[in-house]
Amino acid sequence: MLTFAYLWIFALLPLPWLVRAILPPRRTARVAVRVPFGDRLRAATAEGGPVSRVTRQASRQLVPALVWLLVLAALARPQWIAAPLTKAIPTRDLLLLVDLSGSMRQEDFTSAAGQKVDRLTAVKEVLGDFLVRRDGDRVGLVVFGDAPFLQAPFSTDLSLSRRLLDETAIGMAGPRTAFGDAIGLGVTLFDNSDAPAKTIIALTDGNDTASQVPPAEAARVAKQRGIRIHTVAMGDPTTVGEEKLDVEALRGVAQSSGGSYFFAGDRQQLVGIYAELDKIETRQVKVISHRPRNDLFYWPLLAALVLSLTEKAVGNLRQALATVAQSPVSVCVDPLSGKLEVAA
């Protein structure tokens, strides 16, 4: 679509005629010779009379008028507005904390095909489906065992996050559970985040046995920085020892940060939990639109230049032809040869 940035410039179109009307051209007295046959001389030089003079005057004004119009068109800054380009801006940064401790080897879950699988395999299936539905969010992934590790930084490439989740393995971060340190790492990852919503979803099947920072203290820091934590406990709550499920600690982390606590005893419950989380943490995508503008001012300027130069060239050519046509010609006879000689 063609548009002009400064459309008011065209209000200056009558300016040259107004200036001419207010400030008429200077007239100078010319040397004249009075002759008794002035009427016949005027008729001979009229070249068609007053109609021809008016037509010639109008043609001389047409080109300057067009040049002035083209200059105004260039000053009005013509622009071609292209089709709009849209971009979706994520409004939430979502960080997933996944436990890779040794207790995740327990084969007490079932796959989508109904086969017995370990806990991590079930998590990969359910959490992977949850990831691909988070279109519009920036998603990051932290895995933890003896210590937390960043597996995938915040990114809108959800397929990359899922692929990196699928590449995780039980015990790759150590056999124990450093849940509090994983929350602490997650909090630091949000330091450079400017998203209006910040959420952590933490999944673990054991109690904290290796953290330097207690989970409750890490949750309080997260709350102060506007980060909400949802905890998902999975496994057997009756387990004792180091692999027991610390339900009270997980519930306390969720409540102190403004999040929710969930328990998944089997795959169906795990699917239901992530469906509920999908409703709680609704996706809101902010879309911005931009229409590129391409300046076209050089085209009317080029047309004005070409038109002005053409008028000057045509005028000079006509003047040269008129000069040649008006040059006096003399005819004489060579007395020796008898031939006619023509001299300009």
Side-chain angles (χ1 to χ4, degrees):
M1 182 180 67
L2 182 64
T3 185
F4 292 91
Y6 310 114
L7 194 60
W8 59 269
I9 290 289
F10 289 105
L12 302 177
L13 184 61
L15 183 61
W17 289 271
L18 293 176
V19 172
R20 182 179 178 84
I22 298 173
L23 303 173
R26 179 183 178 185
R27 299 184 180 275
T28 58
R30 298 181 179 180
V31 177
V33 178
R34 298 189 178 210
V35 293
F37 48 86
D39 293 338
R40 285 180 295 171
L41 184 62
R42 185 182 305 109
T45 58
E47 298 180 3
V51 175
S52 177
R53 288 196 298 271
V54 170
T55 303
R56 189 166 59 251
Q57 184 178 6
S59 64
R60 286 199 300 264
Q61 292 182 356
L62 178 61
V63 173
L66 289 176
V67 171
W68 175 244
L69 178 61
L70 291 171
V71 170
L72 289 181
L75 291 175
R77 194 178 177 184
Q79 296 175 330
W80 181 261
I81 302 180
L85 302 176
T86 58
K87 179 181 179 182
I89 299 179
T91 57
R92 174 182 286 102
D93 280 349
L94 178 64
L95 183 64
L96 303 174
L97 307 183
V98 178
D99 188 354
L100 297 182
S101 61
S103 57
M104 295 291 285
R105 289 193 179 92
Q106 294 291 331
E107 295 185 356
D108 51 1
F109 276 70
T110 57
S111 65
Q115 299 176 346
K116 281 285 185 178
V117 294
D118 57 60
R119 296 172 181 176
L120 181 60
T121 301
V123 168
K124 288 180 179 180
E125 287 184 0
V126 177
L127 191 54
D129 294 338
F130 174 78
L131 272 176
V132 297
R133 295 197 304 267
R134 301 306 303 184
D135 189 22
D137 289 348
R138 288 203 318 162
V139 178
L141 175 63
V142 169
V143 296
F144 61 95
D146 290 347
F149 299 94
L150 177 63
Q151 180 75 358
F154 285 116
S155 173
T156 55
D157 189 350
L158 303 182
S159 60
L160 173 63
S161 300
R162 180 168 187 174
R163 185 165 66 250
L164 292 175
L165 173 64
D166 292 337
E167 292 177 359
T168 59
I170 297 172
M172 64 181 292
R176 296 187 297 172
T177 304
F179 181 47
D181 290 350
I183 296 176
L185 175 59
V187 170
T188 60
L189 293 177
F190 283 104
D191 287 345
N192 297 325
S193 171
D194 55 359
K198 304 177 180 67
T199 304
I200 293 177
I201 298 178
L203 185 144
T204 182
D205 69 342
N207 65 333
D208 193 307
T209 58
S211 288
Q212 297 180 0
V213 178
E217 181 64 26
R220 282 193 293 270
V221 174
K223 175 67 174 178
Q224 294 172 358
R225 300 191 182 184
I227 303 171
R228 182 161 50 181
I229 303 175
H230 300 292
T231 56
V232 179
M234 63 183 300
D236 186 359
T238 62
T239 305
V240 296
E242 290 187 355
E243 295 183 358
K244 71 176 182 179
L245 189 61
D246 194 346
V247 175
E248 294 301 324
L250 294 177
R251 184 179 285 112
V253 167
Q255 292 178 351
S256 62
S257 62
S260 301
Y261 165 78
F262 303 94
F263 171 75
D266 54 33
R267 186 179 187 280
Q268 293 300 323
Q269 290 181 344
L270 190 61
V271 172
I273 288 170
Y274 281 101
E276 184 67 22
L277 287 172
D278 221 359
K279 296 177 182 178
I280 296 175
E281 300 295 336
T282 56
R283 297 180 300 280
Q284 298 178 356
V285 182
K286 179 181 179 182
V287 178
I288 60 173
S289 179
H290 170 67
R291 302 192 70 175
R293 295 173 177 263
N294 300 319
D295 287 320
L296 304 174
F297 64 89
Y298 45 84
W299 288 113
L301 282 181
L302 179 61
L305 179 62
V306 171
L307 188 61
S308 179
L309 293 177
T310 302
E311 183 205 17
K312 296 299 181 182
V314 172
N316 292 337
L317 181 59
R318 285 180 177 176
Q319 186 177 3
L321 294 176
T323 302
V324 173
Q326 295 176 0
S327 298
V329 179
S330 60
V331 180
C332 61
V333 180
D334 189 350
L336 297 178
S337 62
K339 296 181 180 179
L340 293 177
E341 294 182 357
V342 180

